[in-house]
Amino acid sequence: GQQVMQIPQYQHVQEGEDFTTYCNSSTTLSNIQWYKQRPGGHPVFLIQLVKSGEVKKQKRLTFQFGEAKKNSSLHITATQTTDVGTYFCAGLDAGGTSYGKLTFGQGTILTVHP
Amino acid sequence: ETGVTQSPTHLIKTRGQQVTLRCSSQSGHNTVSWYQQALGQGPQFIFQYYREEENGRGNFPPRFSGLQFPNYSSELNVNALELDDSALYLCASSDSGYTEAFFGQGTRLTVV
């Protein structure tokens, strides 16, 4: 079945440093979504990428979708303590499914030291 | 907040018992998906309901079952609970299976 791998598992940064997490799928995706989960909280939708090579920005966050629609990245510029949490990518398989089963990566836990 | 509500928020059950978790979807959303999130892991897809019909299922045994009601709220039922069923159970609603999912706060199930 489809697998989504995410690296790194953990990232510790000083406030103001940049942060990047990478996501790779074993199959081609119809789209990829990114979620943030604060400690003790639930996943909160950040963005959805649909087109091959797509790049989207939200303030300090930049999201990319690979040309082959099998990989994606999230980059945060100048991290702040409010960025703390676990960042998940979640892919929708492009092959043959008739429903929107999201396959989540295992997440990257980001800690930011002030 | 998302408008997706789950109940109860926490639950402790004994191995072998049965449990029902409930989810009220966001207004206007006809699709509800259920996920299991073990500690330190990403959410794992259990199944999805679309307009009261099961619309897809992940790799979970038949003792995991569900329902969706005409108002699009949903239930997750787990029979013969096992210790490994201890997890955060998340409900997510969307206006189709292919758009952003709005998650509820989850039900933390502990099986002892």
Side-chain angles (χ1 to χ4, degrees):
Chain A
Q2 180 193 19
Q3 291 187 331
V4 175
M5 304 300 294
Q6 203 173 338
I7 57 169
Q9 187 175 0
Y10 302 94
Q11 187 76 59
H12 310 283
V13 299
Q14 288 293 130
E15 191 172 20
E17 292 182 336
D18 292 356
F19 158 76
T20 304
T21 174
Y22 301 91
C23 182
N24 282 286
S25 170
S26 59
T27 60
T28 303
L29 300 171
S30 63
N31 70 48
I32 194 158
Q33 301 176 12
W34 285 89
Y35 291 82
K36 177 183 178 181
Q37 187 173 22
R38 293 182 182 275
H42 58 275
V44 175
F45 176 83
L46 294 176
I47 207 158
Q48 177 173 280
L49 303 172
V50 178
K51 299 177 183 176
S52 170
E54 190 169 15
V55 178
K56 286 189 175 180
K57 293 189 176 184
Q58 289 180 348
K59 297 183 180 179
R60 295 178 295 106
L61 279 61
T62 301
F63 304 84
Q64 294 188 340
F65 200 10
E67 294 291 338
K69 300 185 74 172
K70 295 181 72 174
N71 62 301
S72 182
S73 66
L74 158 60
H75 179 82
I76 302 178
T77 303
T79 54
Q80 300 175 357
T81 54
T82 53
D83 295 325
V84 163
T86 303
Y87 291 85
F88 291 101
C89 62
L92 276 177
D93 194 0
T97 56
S98 60
Y99 60 92
K101 170 190 172 183
L102 278 175
T103 300
F104 279 78
Q106 65 268 47
T108 296
I109 299 171
L110 173 65
T111 56
V112 180
H113 301 285
Chain B
E1 289 300 318
T2 63
V4 179
T5 58
Q6 291 185 243
S7 62
T9 55
H10 296 83
L11 200 53
I12 300 175
K13 288 287 192 177
T14 303
R15 190 171 47 183
Q17 285 188 314
Q18 178 265 344
V19 69
T20 298
L21 310 181
R22 295 178 174 83
C23 171
S24 294
S25 60
Q26 184 160 309
S27 177
H29 286 180
N30 55 25
T31 303
V32 172
S33 302
W34 286 91
Y35 292 84
Q36 180 195 67
Q37 187 176 25
L39 204 58
Q41 301 295 317
Q44 298 290 311
F45 178 81
I46 302 174
F47 42 57
Q48 182 181 86
Y49 280 84
Y50 171 71
R51 295 189 174 182
E52 303 179 59
E53 297 286 331
E54 186 178 292
N55 193 36
R57 190 177 184 92
N59 295 326
F60 281 81
R63 58 189 185 84
F64 285 77
S65 63
L67 284 173
Q68 187 178 32
F69 300 99
N71 66 355
Y72 303 136
S73 66
S74 178
E75 285 183 356
L76 164 65
N77 300 290
V78 187
N79 294 322
L81 284 166
E82 301 176 0
L83 297 179
D84 285 350
D85 295 333
S86 296
L88 180 67
Y89 288 85
L90 294 161
C91 163
S93 79
S94 58
D95 63 4
S96 76
Y98 297 91
T99 58
E100 65 185 276
F102 293 85
F103 283 85
Q105 80 280 15
T107 294
R108 173 73 61 188
L109 173 65
T110 303
V111 182
V112 297

